[in-house]
Amino acid sequence: MNLLQQKIIAVGKVLSDSVLKVDSFLNHQIDPELMKYIGEEFAALFADAGITKILTIESSGIAPSVMAGLNLGVPVVFARKRKSLTLVDQLYSAKVHSFTKNETNEISVSNSYLSKDDVVLVIDDFLANGQAALGLIDIVKQAEADCAGVGIVIEKGFQNGGNVIRQRGIRVESLAIIDSLIDGKVTFREDTSK
Ligand code: G4P
Ligand code: NA
Ligand code: NA
């Protein structure tokens, strides 16, 4: 098991057959040492991809993205879920529907921070149904930039997002893939164990 998987086993809480709570290191309190590790892993995976920018979504995507950006030496842009007062530029935007929360957010990114010359790595904390990642990929497309791939901290392999994005021919690298949360037990997909 890699460091992230060990952390999930040690402190993750299985709330139901489909939801894992990781507030103690990722979604509320943040573990900087673990984020450092996560940033190094993403940077190593995408070292040869020519990345010029990381694109994520507030709020929980920001910490892992900043550490990846530090290691790759590139800036990090986060899509906003609410329009900022000072965001007066032209916006790229996409509608993101959350099946979990049953709500749709319009996410947006200023056109000042993504251009057709960028090679973008999309990062997010969780991959479930893939709606957030697809919205970010759509924004990359609007900017006429290249999407080099998607880096995910925790993929729920029993939900469909990973398949949907990989079927589009987009590279998806998840540091932990969970195949099952049934009976309160976390089961990882073998090939992500390092
Ligand atoms: P999707 O984008 O893959 O379709 O995911 P979905 O709509 O199902 O998820 C909505 C929110 O819930 C997202 O966070 C997502 O990261 C998170 N999420 C989904 N499944 C889990 C899970 O099993 N555990 C945890 N901890 N989070 C999960 P968000 O609303 O964008 O919030 P934020 O944390 O980024 O602020
Ligand atoms: Na997120
Ligand atoms: Na989240």
Side-chain angles (χ1 to χ4, degrees):
M1 276 199 286
N2 67 33
L3 272 182
L4 171 64
Q5 292 171 321
Q6 289 171 30
K7 189 79 173 185
I8 291 168
I9 296 297
V11 301
K13 302 266 179 277
V14 178
L15 291 193
S16 70
D17 285 356
S18 64
V19 177
L20 175 72
K21 184 176 163 100
V22 287
D23 274 10
S24 69
F25 66 88
L26 184 58
N27 292 137
H28 196 5
Q29 175 171 260
I30 293 170
D31 179 339
E33 276 297 330
L34 188 69
M35 290 307 133
K36 181 168 178 282
Y37 165 79
I38 287 168
E40 289 164 356
E41 291 294 303
F42 283 140
L45 285 163
F46 289 95
D48 300 323
I51 306 296
T52 65
K53 201 150 282 190
I54 292 172
L55 178 63
T56 188
I57 179 168
E58 63 177 343
S59 55
S60 300
I62 296 175
S65 294
V66 168
M67 296 313 284
L70 182 64
N71 282 280
L72 286 167
V74 301
V76 175
V77 179
F78 63 92
R80 293 179 185 270
K81 289 175 181 165
R82 273 187 264 165
K83 295 236 158 68
S84 153
L85 252 188
T86 58
L87 206 60
V88 294
D89 306 340
Q90 287 295 107
L91 299 177
Y92 305 121
S93 63
K95 287 209 162 58
V96 172
H97 180 73
S98 169
F99 293 100
T100 314
K101 296 180 172 174
N102 194 26
E103 63 182 27
T104 301
N105 279 303
E106 185 164 24
I107 65 169
S108 53
V109 173
S110 160
N111 72 353
S112 302
Y113 302 118
L114 269 189
S115 80
K116 61 176 172 33
D117 299 326
D118 279 316
V119 179
V120 182
L121 170 60
V122 168
I123 288 183
D124 207 0
D125 57 337
F126 268 88
L127 180 59
N129 297 296
Q131 294 304 301
L134 287 169
L136 294 171
I137 291 164
D138 189 48
I139 282 174
V140 174
K141 205 171 156 192
Q142 289 172 38
E144 298 177 53
D146 288 335
C147 180
V150 177
I152 295 294
V153 181
I154 303 173
E155 175 177 346
K156 294 195 288 185
F158 54 88
Q159 292 185 247
N160 209 30
N163 286 338
V164 169
I165 297 167
R166 290 183 181 97
Q167 273 164 15
R168 292 189 174 197
I170 295 169
R171 179 180 175 196
V172 180
E173 297 284 356
S174 300
L175 303 184
I177 301 181
I178 293 174
D179 268 341
S180 168
L181 293 171
I182 287 166
D183 292 335
K185 185 177 178 298
V186 179
T187 307
F188 293 110
R189 191 166 299 177
E190 281 305 323
D191 63 12
T192 57
S193 308
K194 284 187 205 138

mmCIF file of all heavy atoms in Angstrom, residues 95-128:
data_model
loop_
_atom_site.group_PDB
_atom_site.id
_atom_site.type_symbol
_atom_site.label_atom_id
_atom_site.label_comp_id
_atom_site.label_asym_id
_atom_site.label_seq_id
_atom_site.Cartn_x
_atom_site.Cartn_y
_atom_site.Cartn_z
ATOM 1 N N LYS A 95 -21.319 23.776 -16.660
ATOM 2 C CA LYS A 95 -22.282 23.349 -15.636
ATOM 3 C C LYS A 95 -21.853 21.991 -15.092
ATOM 4 O O LYS A 95 -21.548 21.074 -15.855
ATOM 5 C CB LYS A 95 -23.682 23.241 -16.241
ATOM 6 C CG LYS A 95 -24.301 24.605 -16.519
ATOM 7 C CD LYS A 95 -25.816 24.548 -16.435
ATOM 8 C CE LYS A 95 -26.430 25.929 -16.278
ATOM 9 N NZ LYS A 95 -26.072 26.851 -17.376
ATOM 10 N N VAL A 96 -21.802 21.885 -13.772
ATOM 11 C CA VAL A 96 -21.388 20.640 -13.126
ATOM 12 C C VAL A 96 -22.515 20.151 -12.237
ATOM 13 O O VAL A 96 -22.876 20.812 -11.262
ATOM 14 C CB VAL A 96 -20.108 20.867 -12.287
ATOM 15 C CG1 VAL A 96 -19.788 19.632 -11.465
ATOM 16 C CG2 VAL A 96 -18.932 21.193 -13.205
ATOM 17 N N HIS A 97 -23.064 19.008 -12.597
ATOM 18 C CA HIS A 97 -24.148 18.455 -11.788
ATOM 19 C C HIS A 97 -23.594 17.439 -10.798
ATOM 20 O O HIS A 97 -22.880 16.510 -11.176
ATOM 21 C CB HIS A 97 -25.212 17.790 -12.656
ATOM 22 C CG HIS A 97 -26.332 17.220 -11.843
ATOM 23 N ND1 HIS A 97 -27.274 18.022 -11.232
ATOM 24 C CD2 HIS A 97 -26.608 15.952 -11.471
ATOM 25 C CE1 HIS A 97 -28.108 17.254 -10.544
ATOM 26 N NE2 HIS A 97 -27.725 15.999 -10.666
ATOM 27 N N SER A 98 -23.909 17.623 -9.528
ATOM 28 C CA SER A 98 -23.523 16.646 -8.515
ATOM 29 C C SER A 98 -24.690 15.703 -8.250
ATOM 30 O O SER A 98 -25.746 16.129 -7.785
ATOM 31 C CB SER A 98 -23.119 17.347 -7.227
ATOM 32 O OG SER A 98 -23.008 16.381 -6.202
ATOM 33 N N PHE A 99 -24.480 14.423 -8.583
ATOM 34 C CA PHE A 99 -25.511 13.431 -8.278
ATOM 35 C C PHE A 99 -25.597 13.216 -6.775
ATOM 36 O O PHE A 99 -26.665 12.987 -6.217
ATOM 37 C CB PHE A 99 -25.196 12.097 -8.981
ATOM 38 C CG PHE A 99 -25.286 12.173 -10.478
ATOM 39 C CD1 PHE A 99 -24.142 12.299 -11.250
ATOM 40 C CD2 PHE A 99 -26.519 12.156 -11.110
ATOM 41 C CE1 PHE A 99 -24.219 12.384 -12.641
ATOM 42 C CE2 PHE A 99 -26.611 12.245 -12.495
ATOM 43 C CZ PHE A 99 -25.458 12.363 -13.257
ATOM 44 N N THR A 100 -24.442 13.321 -6.112
ATOM 45 C CA THR A 100 -24.388 13.123 -4.660
ATOM 46 C C THR A 100 -25.220 14.180 -3.939
ATOM 47 O O THR A 100 -25.988 13.877 -3.035
ATOM 48 C CB THR A 100 -22.922 13.226 -4.178
ATOM 49 O OG1 THR A 100 -22.094 12.471 -5.049
ATOM 50 C CG2 THR A 100 -22.785 12.712 -2.761
ATOM 51 N N LYS A 101 -25.036 15.435 -4.364
ATOM 52 C CA LYS A 101 -25.707 16.533 -3.666
ATOM 53 C C LYS A 101 -26.996 16.957 -4.355
ATOM 54 O O LYS A 101 -27.723 17.792 -3.836
ATOM 55 C CB LYS A 101 -24.764 17.737 -3.584
ATOM 56 C CG LYS A 101 -23.515 17.460 -2.741
ATOM 57 C CD LYS A 101 -22.622 18.690 -2.700
ATOM 58 C CE LYS A 101 -21.474 18.498 -1.710
ATOM 59 N NZ LYS A 101 -20.531 19.619 -1.764
ATOM 60 N N ASN A 102 -27.245 16.392 -5.544
ATOM 61 C CA ASN A 102 -28.401 16.753 -6.350
ATOM 62 C C ASN A 102 -28.526 18.266 -6.556
ATOM 63 O O ASN A 102 -29.565 18.871 -6.298
ATOM 64 C CB ASN A 102 -29.690 16.160 -5.752
ATOM 65 C CG ASN A 102 -30.845 16.239 -6.747
ATOM 66 O OD1 ASN A 102 -30.608 16.269 -7.968
ATOM 67 N ND2 ASN A 102 -32.062 16.297 -6.257
ATOM 68 N N GLU A 103 -27.400 18.848 -6.985
ATOM 69 C CA GLU A 103 -27.425 20.269 -7.314
ATOM 70 C C GLU A 103 -26.481 20.515 -8.485
ATOM 71 O O GLU A 103 -25.561 19.744 -8.725
ATOM 72 C CB GLU A 103 -27.017 21.125 -6.099
ATOM 73 C CG GLU A 103 -25.595 20.867 -5.648
ATOM 74 C CD GLU A 103 -25.177 21.675 -4.418
ATOM 75 O OE1 GLU A 103 -26.050 22.043 -3.605
ATOM 76 O OE2 GLU A 103 -23.965 21.915 -4.277
ATOM 77 N N THR A 104 -26.748 21.584 -9.212
ATOM 78 C CA THR A 104 -25.890 21.931 -10.342
ATOM 79 C C THR A 104 -25.209 23.263 -10.056
ATOM 80 O O THR A 104 -25.866 24.233 -9.682
ATOM 81 C CB THR A 104 -26.721 22.031 -11.639
ATOM 82 O OG1 THR A 104 -27.363 20.775 -11.864
ATOM 83 C CG2 THR A 104 -25.831 22.346 -12.840
ATOM 84 N N ASN A 105 -23.897 23.264 -10.206
ATOM 85 C CA ASN A 105 -23.129 24.496 -10.040
ATOM 86 C C ASN A 105 -22.582 24.923 -11.384
ATOM 87 O O ASN A 105 -22.184 24.080 -12.186
ATOM 88 C CB ASN A 105 -21.910 24.255 -9.133
ATOM 89 C CG ASN A 105 -22.266 24.278 -7.664
ATOM 90 O OD1 ASN A 105 -22.801 25.258 -7.167
ATOM 91 N ND2 ASN A 105 -21.974 23.188 -6.975
ATOM 92 N N GLU A 106 -22.540 26.222 -11.595
ATOM 93 C CA GLU A 106 -21.822 26.706 -12.766
ATOM 94 C C GLU A 106 -20.421 27.066 -12.294
ATOM 95 O O GLU A 106 -20.241 27.910 -11.411
ATOM 96 C CB GLU A 106 -22.514 27.920 -13.378
ATOM 97 C CG GLU A 106 -21.820 28.337 -14.663
ATOM 98 C CD GLU A 106 -22.662 29.266 -15.516
ATOM 99 O OE1 GLU A 106 -23.552 29.942 -14.961
ATOM 100 O OE2 GLU A 106 -22.422 29.321 -16.728
ATOM 101 N N ILE A 107 -19.412 26.396 -12.863
ATOM 102 C CA ILE A 107 -18.035 26.680 -12.473
ATOM 103 C C ILE A 107 -17.416 27.600 -13.519
ATOM 104 O O ILE A 107 -17.781 27.540 -14.694
ATOM 105 C CB ILE A 107 -17.207 25.390 -12.296
ATOM 106 C CG1 ILE A 107 -17.042 24.626 -13.612
ATOM 107 C CG2 ILE A 107 -17.860 24.497 -11.247
ATOM 108 C CD1 ILE A 107 -16.015 23.494 -13.547
ATOM 109 N N SER A 108 -16.502 28.452 -13.079
ATOM 110 C CA SER A 108 -15.938 29.391 -14.045
ATOM 111 C C SER A 108 -14.466 29.684 -13.793
ATOM 112 O O SER A 108 -13.964 29.605 -12.661
ATOM 113 C CB SER A 108 -16.747 30.689 -14.051
ATOM 114 O OG SER A 108 -16.858 31.206 -12.757
ATOM 115 N N VAL A 109 -13.789 30.010 -14.880
ATOM 116 C CA VAL A 109 -12.361 30.346 -14.867
ATOM 117 C C VAL A 109 -12.162 31.556 -15.777
ATOM 118 O O VAL A 109 -12.699 31.601 -16.887
ATOM 119 C CB VAL A 109 -11.513 29.166 -15.414
ATOM 120 C CG1 VAL A 109 -10.049 29.560 -15.579
ATOM 121 C CG2 VAL A 109 -11.631 27.944 -14.513
ATOM 122 N N SER A 110 -11.401 32.517 -15.313
ATOM 123 C CA SER A 110 -11.096 33.692 -16.128
ATOM 124 C C SER A 110 -10.243 33.306 -17.328
ATOM 125 O O SER A 110 -9.331 32.478 -17.209
ATOM 126 C CB SER A 110 -10.322 34.705 -15.283
ATOM 127 O OG SER A 110 -9.635 35.606 -16.124
ATOM 128 N N ASN A 111 -10.503 33.944 -18.457
ATOM 129 C CA ASN A 111 -9.696 33.619 -19.636
ATOM 130 C C ASN A 111 -8.272 34.180 -19.545
ATOM 131 O O ASN A 111 -7.454 33.929 -20.417
ATOM 132 C CB ASN A 111 -10.397 34.053 -20.934
ATOM 133 C CG ASN A 111 -10.408 35.559 -21.136
ATOM 134 O OD1 ASN A 111 -10.012 36.316 -20.243
ATOM 135 N ND2 ASN A 111 -10.862 35.996 -22.285
ATOM 136 N N SER A 112 -7.987 34.930 -18.473
ATOM 137 C CA SER A 112 -6.622 35.446 -18.279
ATOM 138 C C SER A 112 -5.636 34.347 -17.901
ATOM 139 O O SER A 112 -4.429 34.531 -18.022
ATOM 140 C CB SER A 112 -6.592 36.481 -17.157
ATOM 141 O OG SER A 112 -7.462 37.535 -17.448
ATOM 142 N N TYR A 113 -6.154 33.237 -17.375
ATOM 143 C CA TYR A 113 -5.257 32.246 -16.776
ATOM 144 C C TYR A 113 -5.198 30.919 -17.513
ATOM 145 O O TYR A 113 -4.586 29.965 -17.033
ATOM 146 C CB TYR A 113 -5.626 32.040 -15.301
ATOM 147 C CG TYR A 113 -5.561 33.341 -14.542
ATOM 148 C CD1 TYR A 113 -6.700 33.877 -13.950
ATOM 149 C CD2 TYR A 113 -4.376 34.064 -14.481
ATOM 150 C CE1 TYR A 113 -6.643 35.097 -13.291
ATOM 151 C CE2 TYR A 113 -4.316 35.283 -13.837
ATOM 152 C CZ TYR A 113 -5.452 35.796 -13.248
ATOM 153 O OH TYR A 113 -5.401 37.005 -12.619
ATOM 154 N N LEU A 114 -5.837 30.844 -18.660
ATOM 155 C CA LEU A 114 -5.752 29.639 -19.496
ATOM 156 C C LEU A 114 -5.734 30.112 -20.929
ATOM 157 O O LEU A 114 -6.594 30.905 -21.326
ATOM 158 C CB LEU A 114 -6.992 28.757 -19.329
ATOM 159 C CG LEU A 114 -7.033 27.654 -18.289
ATOM 160 C CD1 LEU A 114 -8.291 26.823 -18.506
ATOM 161 C CD2 LEU A 114 -5.793 26.769 -18.338
ATOM 162 N N SER A 115 -4.760 29.614 -21.701
ATOM 163 C CA SER A 115 -4.726 30.027 -23.103
ATOM 164 C C SER A 115 -4.461 28.828 -23.996
ATOM 165 O O SER A 115 -4.158 27.736 -23.509
ATOM 166 C CB SER A 115 -3.645 31.080 -23.321
ATOM 167 O OG SER A 115 -2.387 30.444 -23.426
ATOM 168 N N LYS A 116 -4.534 29.041 -25.297
ATOM 169 C CA LYS A 116 -4.375 27.925 -26.240
ATOM 170 C C LYS A 116 -2.963 27.351 -26.214
ATOM 171 O O LYS A 116 -2.736 26.258 -26.699
ATOM 172 C CB LYS A 116 -4.793 28.336 -27.648
ATOM 173 C CG LYS A 116 -4.011 29.461 -28.273
ATOM 174 C CD LYS A 116 -4.497 29.674 -29.701
ATOM 175 C CE LYS A 116 -3.918 30.900 -30.375
ATOM 176 N NZ LYS A 116 -2.548 31.283 -30.024
ATOM 177 N N ASP A 117 -2.018 28.076 -25.620
ATOM 178 C CA ASP A 117 -0.651 27.561 -25.527
ATOM 179 C C ASP A 117 -0.454 26.633 -24.328
ATOM 180 O O ASP A 117 0.616 26.033 -24.195
ATOM 181 C CB ASP A 117 0.341 28.725 -25.418
ATOM 182 C CG ASP A 117 0.288 29.636 -26.634
ATOM 183 O OD1 ASP A 117 0.052 29.111 -27.746
ATOM 184 O OD2 ASP A 117 0.456 30.860 -26.479
ATOM 185 N N ASP A 118 -1.450 26.539 -23.473
ATOM 186 C CA ASP A 118 -1.267 25.731 -22.258
ATOM 187 C C ASP A 118 -1.461 24.235 -22.498
ATOM 188 O O ASP A 118 -2.292 23.815 -23.308
ATOM 189 C CB ASP A 118 -2.253 26.186 -21.172
ATOM 190 C CG ASP A 118 -1.767 27.433 -20.434
ATOM 191 O OD1 ASP A 118 -0.569 27.475 -20.083
ATOM 192 O OD2 ASP A 118 -2.580 28.348 -20.225
ATOM 193 N N VAL A 119 -0.661 23.476 -21.737
ATOM 194 C CA VAL A 119 -0.843 22.029 -21.631
ATOM 195 C C VAL A 119 -1.265 21.793 -20.181
ATOM 196 O O VAL A 119 -0.510 22.069 -19.250
ATOM 197 C CB VAL A 119 0.456 21.262 -21.954
ATOM 198 C CG1 VAL A 119 0.241 19.760 -21.799
ATOM 199 C CG2 VAL A 119 0.937 21.602 -23.362
ATOM 200 N N VAL A 120 -2.488 21.339 -20.013
ATOM 201 C CA VAL A 120 -3.126 21.390 -18.698
ATOM 202 C C VAL A 120 -3.242 20.012 -18.063
ATOM 203 O O VAL A 120 -3.663 19.043 -18.710
ATOM 204 C CB VAL A 120 -4.538 22.016 -18.825
ATOM 205 C CG1 VAL A 120 -5.213 22.119 -17.462
ATOM 206 C CG2 VAL A 120 -4.455 23.400 -19.482
ATOM 207 N N LEU A 121 -2.884 19.958 -16.800
ATOM 208 C CA LEU A 121 -3.156 18.782 -15.972
ATOM 209 C C LEU A 121 -4.339 19.133 -15.073
ATOM 210 O O LEU A 121 -4.275 20.087 -14.299
ATOM 211 C CB LEU A 121 -1.930 18.428 -15.119
ATOM 212 C CG LEU A 121 -2.130 17.362 -14.034
ATOM 213 C CD1 LEU A 121 -2.586 16.034 -14.631
ATOM 214 C CD2 LEU A 121 -0.836 17.177 -13.234
ATOM 215 N N VAL A 122 -5.420 18.383 -15.201
ATOM 216 C CA VAL A 122 -6.607 18.572 -14.355
ATOM 217 C C VAL A 122 -6.435 17.717 -13.106
ATOM 218 O O VAL A 122 -6.107 16.531 -13.203
ATOM 219 C CB VAL A 122 -7.887 18.158 -15.131
ATOM 220 C CG1 VAL A 122 -9.093 18.062 -14.202
ATOM 221 C CG2 VAL A 122 -8.158 19.134 -16.269
ATOM 222 N N ILE A 123 -6.621 18.321 -11.940
ATOM 223 C CA ILE A 123 -6.493 17.571 -10.681
ATOM 224 C C ILE A 123 -7.750 17.755 -9.845
ATOM 225 O O ILE A 123 -8.331 18.837 -9.801
ATOM 226 C CB ILE A 123 -5.234 18.038 -9.897
ATOM 227 C CG1 ILE A 123 -3.963 17.526 -10.608
ATOM 228 C CG2 ILE A 123 -5.268 17.547 -8.440
ATOM 229 C CD1 ILE A 123 -2.666 17.865 -9.877
ATOM 230 N N ASP A 124 -8.186 16.681 -9.188
ATOM 231 C CA ASP A 124 -9.270 16.816 -8.207
ATOM 232 C C ASP A 124 -9.064 15.817 -7.077
ATOM 233 O O ASP A 124 -8.298 14.869 -7.212
ATOM 234 C CB ASP A 124 -10.641 16.645 -8.872
ATOM 235 C CG ASP A 124 -11.751 17.395 -8.115
ATOM 236 O OD1 ASP A 124 -11.465 18.047 -7.077
ATOM 237 O OD2 ASP A 124 -12.915 17.324 -8.549
ATOM 238 N N ASP A 125 -9.745 16.074 -5.970
ATOM 239 C CA ASP A 125 -9.578 15.206 -4.805
ATOM 240 C C ASP A 125 -10.283 13.861 -4.997
ATOM 241 O O ASP A 125 -9.694 12.813 -4.765
ATOM 242 C CB ASP A 125 -10.052 15.904 -3.514
ATOM 243 C CG ASP A 125 -11.499 16.366 -3.566
ATOM 244 O OD1 ASP A 125 -12.049 16.564 -4.675
ATOM 245 O OD2 ASP A 125 -12.094 16.550 -2.488
ATOM 246 N N PHE A 126 -11.545 13.903 -5.439
ATOM 247 C CA PHE A 126 -12.314 12.669 -5.625
ATOM 248 C C PHE A 126 -12.764 12.545 -7.063
ATOM 249 O O PHE A 126 -13.067 13.543 -7.725
ATOM 250 C CB PHE A 126 -13.574 12.673 -4.741
ATOM 251 C CG PHE A 126 -13.365 12.025 -3.400
ATOM 252 C CD1 PHE A 126 -12.905 12.768 -2.322
ATOM 253 C CD2 PHE A 126 -13.621 10.673 -3.223
ATOM 254 C CE1 PHE A 126 -12.701 12.166 -1.083
ATOM 255 C CE2 PHE A 126 -13.422 10.065 -1.999
ATOM 256 C CZ PHE A 126 -12.962 10.807 -0.920
ATOM 257 N N LEU A 127 -12.845 11.314 -7.543
ATOM 258 C CA LEU A 127 -13.503 11.045 -8.816
ATOM 259 C C LEU A 127 -14.629 10.062 -8.521
ATOM 260 O O LEU A 127 -14.377 8.925 -8.097
ATOM 261 C CB LEU A 127 -12.519 10.447 -9.828
ATOM 262 C CG LEU A 127 -13.061 10.110 -11.220
ATOM 263 C CD1 LEU A 127 -13.636 11.332 -11.919
ATOM 264 C CD2 LEU A 127 -11.967 9.477 -12.086
ATOM 265 N N ALA A 128 -15.860 10.538 -8.710
ATOM 266 C CA ALA A 128 -17.032 9.694 -8.452
ATOM 267 C C ALA A 128 -17.758 9.483 -9.778
ATOM 268 O O ALA A 128 -17.437 8.573 -10.532
ATOM 269 C CB ALA A 128 -17.914 10.356 -7.403
#
